[in-house]
Amino acid sequence: MAENGENRVSGGGSAEQGAPRRARGGTRTGGGDAGARGGSRGGRGDTMRRGRGKRGDRDKPREREFQETLISVYRCSATVKGGRRLSFGSLVCVGDGKGRVGIGYGKAKEVPGAFQKAIKAGRRSLKRFTITPGGSIPHEIKGRFGASQVVLIPAMPGTGVIAGAAVKAILEAGGLTNVLTKVYGSTNTRNVVKAVMDALEKLRSKEMTESLRGVELK
């Protein structure tokens, strides 16, 4: 019996020794280290949330550097063995409103793809021209391409851009606000647009003219 009691006592001792182990295990799972880790993770989460907020502020719409205007859309069809194969072309003008403008033409199977191609082509072909502080041109000029001729005439402030849809889109994209225009000959949109670009490239300021002639203009 004593031996059994001793055995029981020893068993109880082993149980008592196991209790601290369980307590230690509990400390490991729910102790201060884990709490500290959780707190640090929570802190990281707060910083990430703050960062997301800032990133959201960055995603706010900003002013566009260039103004893209769709002038016209063309539909092309090619007759093949299986029927007709359609494609679309778009003519776009791109400008910054400060004396730079360019035109681009793109062609694709869908209209959005053609529009994107035209925008890229227009940005590559940007050209700078002379513009007065009043939003007009320094002198009268005539541009020509093919059978189309375009005359640009300076106007007083408040006049506006008196022109057709294609010519007006290019002039406004370049930053002109007071100009009179007249088209002679062919009214084909592509030719008229290229004639306008030819006229804008020929513009010269007073300083440029004085340097080329070697004189001082009154």
Side-chain angles (χ1 to χ4, degrees), residues 14-15 32-33 46 49 79 111 160 187 194 196 214:
S14 63
D33 296 340
D46 296 341
R49 289 173 187 171
T79 304
V111 176
T187 56
K194 293 180 180 179
V196 174

Side-chain angles (χ1 to χ4, degrees), residues 179-193:
V179 181
L180 300 174
T181 65
K182 180 64 179 177
V183 178
Y184 297 97
S186 173
T187 56
N188 181 275
T189 306
R190 294 190 193 180
N191 291 351
V192 169
V193 165

Side-chain angles (χ1 to χ4, degrees), residues 122-191:
R123 291 186 178 183
R124 289 195 299 265
S125 64
L126 284 173
K127 296 180 180 179
R128 186 176 296 277
F129 63 92
T130 304
I131 181 173
T132 61
S136 185
I137 54 179
H139 56 85
E140 181 178 342
I141 192 66
K142 179 185 290 186
R144 180 174 180 176
F145 185 87
S148 300
Q149 294 183 8
V150 178
V151 180
L152 305 181
I153 305 171
M156 298 294 293
T159 305
V161 180
I162 310 301
V167 179
K168 187 174 183 178
I170 296 176
L171 298 181
E172 289 182 346
L176 296 174
T177 56
N178 302 296
V179 181
L180 300 174
T181 65
K182 180 64 179 177
V183 178
Y184 297 97
S186 173
T187 56
N188 181 275
T189 306
R190 294 190 193 180
N191 291 351

Side-chain angles (χ1 to χ4, degrees), residues 20-201:
R21 291 180 183 175
R22 293 179 185 175
R24 290 175 186 174
T27 341
R28 291 177 184 174
T29 53
D33 296 340
R37 292 177 184 174
S40 62
R41 290 180 182 174
R44 291 178 185 174
D46 296 341
T47 53
M48 290 178 67
R49 289 173 187 171
R50 294 175 185 173
R52 289 177 184 174
K54 293 180 181 179
R55 192 176 300 172
D57 297 340
R58 295 175 185 173
D59 295 339
K60 290 182 180 179
R62 295 179 297 179
E63 296 183 359
R64 290 187 176 182
E65 182 181 0
F66 296 103
Q67 174 187 354
E68 299 108 5
T69 305
L70 179 63
I71 297 176
S72 61
V73 178
Y74 305 91
R75 189 183 70 172
C76 308
S77 63
T79 304
V80 295
K81 185 176 181 180
R84 289 185 178 182
R85 185 175 58 193
L86 295 177
S87 61
F88 298 90
S90 62
L91 184 63
V92 177
C93 69
V94 181
D96 62 350
K98 300 177 183 178
R100 284 200 305 168
V101 69
I103 58 173
Y105 179 79
K107 188 175 180 180
K109 294 182 179 180
E110 300 293 339
V111 176
F115 182 67
Q116 294 298 329
K117 287 184 179 180
I119 290 176
K120 292 181 181 179
R123 291 186 178 183
R124 289 195 299 265
S125 64
L126 284 173
K127 296 180 180 179
R128 186 176 296 277
F129 63 92
T130 304
I131 181 173
T132 61
S136 185
I137 54 179
H139 56 85
E140 181 178 342
I141 192 66
K142 179 185 290 186
R144 180 174 180 176
F145 185 87
S148 300
Q149 294 183 8
V150 178
V151 180
L152 305 181
I153 305 171
M156 298 294 293
T159 305
V161 180
I162 310 301
V167 179
K168 187 174 183 178
I170 296 176
L171 298 181
E172 289 182 346
L176 296 174
T177 56
N178 302 296
V179 181
L180 300 174
T181 65
K182 180 64 179 177
V183 178
Y184 297 97
S186 173
T187 56
N188 181 275
T189 306
R190 294 190 193 180
N191 291 351
V192 169
V193 165
K194 293 180 180 179
V196 174
M197 294 298 299
D198 180 59
L200 294 177
E201 291 178 11

